[in-house]
Each structure stands twice: as C-alpha cells, then as structure tokens.
Amino acid sequence: MKKRLLTGLQPSGELTIGNYIGSIRQVANYQDEYETFLFVPDMHSITVPQDPETLHRRVREIVGMYIACGVSPTENHIYIQSEIPWHANLSWILECHSYMGEMSRMTQFKAKSEGKKEIGCGLFTYPILMAADILLYNADVVPTGADQKQHVELARNLAQRFNKKYGETFVVPEPLIPKFGAKIRDLLDPTKKMSKSAENPKASIFLNDPEKAIRKKIMGAVTDSGEGVVFDEENKPGVSNLLTIYSCFSNMPIADAEKHFEGARYGDLKKEVAEVVVEALTKLQDKYADVMKSGIVDETLDRGRDEANAIAHETYEKARKVVGLGRV
Ligand code: TYM
C-alpha cells in the first residue's frame, strides 16, 4: 500500500511563486509515489476577516491552479476542508488535549497577532485545526514550506500524546520540507517570506500576474551590497532568493546556476530570472484558463468530498469513541 501524503493551501490571497515552489510543485512531483490528499483549508482563512464572495471564488481558483500545475484530478483526493464536518469535530477533541503554553509558542500566531488590539481565538487555535486536518487522514508525510514546520510538529506531538493516553489512534506524521525553495523571500524585503497577503503587491509574484508585471517586479527586486552572483543566504539574501527562483524555474541545480552567472551583474541576473519565470507562468496561465473553462473543478471537488468524507469519518469515529463521546 502506498504511503499517504497530505497538504493544503489557504484561499487567503492570490497564490504566489512561493506557494508554487514550496508546496504545489512538490505535490506534483510526489503524486505517483504517495496516495495524495490535497485540500483547500478555507476554515483556516476565516481566522482573519475575509470577503465571502472572494473567498468562494478563491477556493475554486486554488483547485484550478493545482490541476493546471500538473496535479492529477483523478488520481488524487482533492477537496474543500469546510465540506467535511469531521475537521472541526476532531479539532475540538484535540483542543481539549492541547496546552495554552505550547500554543503561545507558535511563531506564526505571534507574527500575525503582533500589534493587533483584537485577536481572534481562531487565530490562536488554528494550528490545532491544522493537526486535525492531518491526523484525520492518517497522513505519513506533510510537504510544506519552512513556515509550517512548527505546526506539523504540533500535529506530531498531539498524535503522540493522544496515542499514549488512548492507544494507537493516529499515524504520527513527518514534515517534508524541501531542501531548497522552502522559503521564497519577499522581493522588497528579503528578510521576510513572500506572502499571498503582503501589503505591497510589488513584493510578491502571483501565479496569475501578467508578463509585464512579472518583469517589472523582478527588475525592482531588492538586491544586496557588493558584487557577485553567489548563493549566500546570510550575507546576500536578495541575490540568493533570485538564484533560488531561477534554479527552481529552470530546473538547474543552484551550483550550476552560480556557474552560469559567474561574472554577471545583478541586472543580468534579474533579466534571466524574469525570462524563466515569464516562460513558466505564461504556460501555466494558459493551462489554468483551459481548466477553469472545463468544469473539471466541480467534478473533482464532488468526488474528492465523498472520498475524503468516508476516510475522515472513520478516523473521527475512532477518536470519538476512545475519549468517551456519544454512544459506543
Ligand atoms: P499557506 O496557505 O500559507 O501556504 C501554502 C503552502 O505554501 C508554502 N509557502 C511557501 N513556501 C516557500 N516560500 C514561501 N514564501 C511560501 N509561502 C507559503 C507553505 O509553507 C504551505 O506549504 N496552515 C497552512 C495551510 C494548511 C495546511 C494544513 C498545510 C492548513 N492545514 C494541513 C498542510 C497540512 C497555511 O497557511 O499555508
């Protein structure tokens, strides 16, 4: 039997090349090796205010993008979190086995709540819902970018704690963080990760950006002092980010990319990065347009919902019974 892989992408903004490199591309690469669960965690997105119409639209767009990126709509389980009631149900059981201390240490919560007067409870408990997302499907591996590693570790801790108390119930998942491209950086501030929800749209390249915008954003990316196109994340985070993007989109190992740019100036690097990104994203956008016209998104989501529901329900029933809820 194949091992299980599971991951999700929030519909909280337009997808960036960071999401593509850190998550979608990995799924496309691993889908033959694993039984793959790919879902849209829309319940996570309402931890911060959302416009309902936009949220509905983005849920379908994300699925369209997965498919356009080469994720098979028939070989994988693709579904929407909120269409499977067991996520919220299991999340409550896990919440009752989580500690305030461990939740307060979540760096993403600290970052997202910083400076805010009113902090939603959902923002605080969000990693527990994420643990439920993972444990319901007995996922063996969870590919994500570096920013989600701490959350996957919480899922591991909760699974181990639960299994110890009630007997083997959940598979303990492993994070799968790419060695390379796990943190694509903000183009204007390379100390930060590139984000769907960045305040300045010039800081992120979105998968549906037109060619002109892609070139303009890359040419305007912040580089570092000194010369030399070398991969040195500590001293040259801007240049290293551009090299990483180049390497990912051209499928050239980073050492070869460094050789390729020997003696080049930052401006030359930017031009070539723009070229490979434009080429890849234009192809992707054409495929995406076909997918969105085809009706395949809803077909995929209907089938995915039914498959996922059956699997998640079974796991939830196990957990419910061992903690003593309802009837045996
Ligand atoms: P989200 O929606 O913020 O990001 C989706 C995926 O993209 C990765 N990613 C990046 N990778 C490299 N560079 C970047 N700049 C970059 N930005 C984002 C993220 O690490 C992630 O893999 N909580 C999750 C969604 C989620 C989930 C889950 C994931 C909910 N339940 C269960 C896995 C398993 C999130 O907010 O990801």
Side-chain angles (χ1 to χ4, degrees):
M1 222 165 67
K2 280 186 183 172
K3 285 195 163 186
R4 286 184 174 171
L5 174 151
L6 174 142
T7 199
L9 261 162
Q10 278 199 60
S12 53
E14 306 301 328
L15 295 180
T16 71
I17 57 168
N19 299 129
Y20 174 72
I21 295 172
S23 177
I24 308 181
R25 203 176 60 130
Q26 291 201 76
V27 177
N29 289 341
Y30 285 124
Q31 60 186 335
D32 295 334
E33 201 179 319
Y34 292 95
E35 180 183 2
T36 299
F37 294 76
L38 203 52
F39 71 105
V40 186
D42 53 348
M43 289 158 70
H44 279 88
S45 297
I46 61 164
T47 54
V48 294
Q50 298 288 341
D51 168 54
E53 249 172 62
T54 312
L55 194 56
H56 278 310
R57 174 175 59 78
R58 284 191 178 138
V59 168
R60 299 182 75 263
E61 285 175 356
I62 287 195
V63 175
M65 208 41 108
Y66 281 147
I67 298 172
C69 289
V71 172
S72 163
T74 47
E75 297 298 314
N76 305 305
H77 310 285
I78 302 181
Y79 54 96
I80 302 174
Q81 181 188 35
S82 63
E83 292 187 356
I84 317 285
W86 318 114
H87 289 245
N89 285 20
L90 182 64
S91 182
W92 177 251
I93 294 180
L94 295 177
E95 204 165 304
C96 296
H97 293 79
S98 309
Y99 306 123
M100 295 293 285
E102 65 189 342
M103 300 313 297
S104 313
R105 285 193 292 275
M106 295 291 140
T107 50
Q108 201 171 65
F109 167 72
K110 287 193 220 163
K112 285 197 176 176
S113 58
E114 206 182 327
K116 294 222 170 73
K117 272 200 201 129
E118 303 251 293
I119 301 162
C121 295
L123 203 57
F124 186 67
T125 56
Y126 149 128
I128 305 174
L129 178 60
M130 179 159 160
D133 299 337
I134 299 169
L135 302 185
L136 272 177
Y137 300 91
N138 287 318
D140 297 287
V141 294
V142 182
T144 66
D147 61 324
Q148 297 298 322
K149 188 163 184 249
Q150 198 185 24
H151 294 163
V152 181
E153 270 157 12
L154 177 79
R156 284 176 63 80
N157 292 341
L158 288 177
Q160 281 161 341
R161 189 177 302 159
F162 197 97
N163 289 349
K164 199 165 164 216
K165 188 160 179 193
Y166 301 104
E168 285 305 305
T169 310
F170 300 122
V171 168
V172 180
E174 292 283 345
L176 190 66
I177 314 289
K179 284 196 194 80
F180 202 64
K183 185 175 177 180
I184 298 298
R185 295 162 188 275
D186 182 295
L187 295 178
L188 300 179
D189 177 359
T191 61
K192 294 198 296 203
K193 71 162 186 173
M194 184 181 285
S195 163
K196 295 187 210 92
S197 40
E199 270 162 36
N200 188 343
K202 289 185 187 144
S204 307
I205 299 176
F206 300 105
L207 297 183
N208 56 12
D209 267 344
E211 173 175 349
K212 219 169 145 191
I214 299 172
R215 289 190 197 279
K216 214 167 161 192
K217 287 180 187 183
I218 294 176
M219 293 317 285
V222 167
T223 39
D224 314 289
S225 54
E227 286 171 24
V229 178
V230 285
F231 187 77
D232 174 355
E233 285 192 295
E234 204 165 302
N235 300 307
K236 286 181 176 269
V239 169
S240 303
N241 193 35
L242 290 173
L243 263 178
T244 306
I245 295 172
Y246 181 82
S247 160
C248 290
F249 279 100
S250 63
N251 284 322
M252 188 189 281
I254 201 80
D256 294 355
E258 274 182 310
K259 266 192 216 129
H260 175 78
F261 288 110
E262 220 170 79
R265 282 183 300 203
Y266 293 162
D268 305 324
L269 167 70
K270 287 181 180 176
K271 268 191 208 141
E272 287 206 39
V273 173
E275 215 48 60
V276 290
V277 176
V278 163
E279 197 194 320
L281 294 194
T282 325
K283 274 194 206 144
L284 182 62
Q285 290 166 7
D286 287 346
K287 272 200 209 146
Y288 174 75
D290 290 342
V291 169
M292 293 311 274
K293 270 188 254 155
S294 70
I296 200 168
V297 168
D298 286 304
E299 271 168 41
T300 304
L301 285 174
D302 288 347
R303 193 176 49 248
R305 176 199 55 216
D306 296 343
E307 293 161 354
N309 192 61
I311 296 169
H313 189 193
E314 202 178 305
T315 314
Y316 173 73
E317 280 296 293
K318 261 198 214 162
R320 170 184 77 73
K321 285 184 189 153
V322 292
V323 295
L325 294 181
R327 285 183 280 177
V328 184

